[in-house]
Amino acid sequence: MTLAQRAFERLHAWPDLSAGPASCRTGRALRSVRDEIVHFHSDRDVDLHLTHRAIQRFQYDLGGSTAIRLVPGSRWVTVHLDCDADVDLLLSLTSIALKAHQSRPPADLTAGPSGPPGPAGCNYHRVTVLPRSAAGEA
């Protein structure tokens, strides 16, 4: 079983999430009543839908993780699953995402960093993730 499959099964068991196709048309998604929260694109790459406020709040921590890729202006973060700790990180961030989506004001759905609408959709095809060993050699 791949790390993504393990993460999907664990998250799918959460009562606040239900499975379906990803709106980007690549892979499977888990969604809350309000929003898509997680896209599973491959055996290792997952996009997580955070709100703009949540990304701002945790930006320093997210940027310091070798498992996380941020795209400026996007409310999605890409999590690259290389080990069990990355799965645990995804589960923790999913909990944060669920809470953020439940408490966000309606305007936050479309607000980018400066207020106007931000880019829609996940980061699929907008992020290239290198294996950690290759990233350290560059």
Side-chain angles (χ1 to χ4, degrees), residues 52 61 67 71 100 135:
H52 175 66
D61 297 312
V71 174

Side-chain angles (χ1 to χ4, degrees), residues 9-76:
E9 286 185 10
R10 289 177 65 185
L11 288 170
H12 189 243
W14 290 15
D16 293 340
L17 293 173
S18 60
S23 60
C24 66
R25 299 184 179 147
T26 303
R28 299 181 294 174
L30 291 171
R31 63 172 296 116
S32 70
V33 173
R34 290 179 73 166
D35 302 293
E36 284 187 346
I37 302 296
V38 189
H39 286 183
F40 289 83
H41 295 300
S42 72
D43 290 343
R44 294 192 180 268
D45 296 317
V46 179
D47 279 341
L48 177 69
H49 189 191
L50 292 169
T51 61
H52 175 66
R53 288 182 186 181
I55 290 174
Q56 279 185 317
R57 182 174 178 204
F58 297 105
Q59 186 170 5
Y60 178 77
D61 297 312
L62 294 172
S65 172
T66 58
I68 302 290
R69 297 296 176 266
L70 299 171
V71 174
S74 177
R75 289 173 312 278
W76 292 79

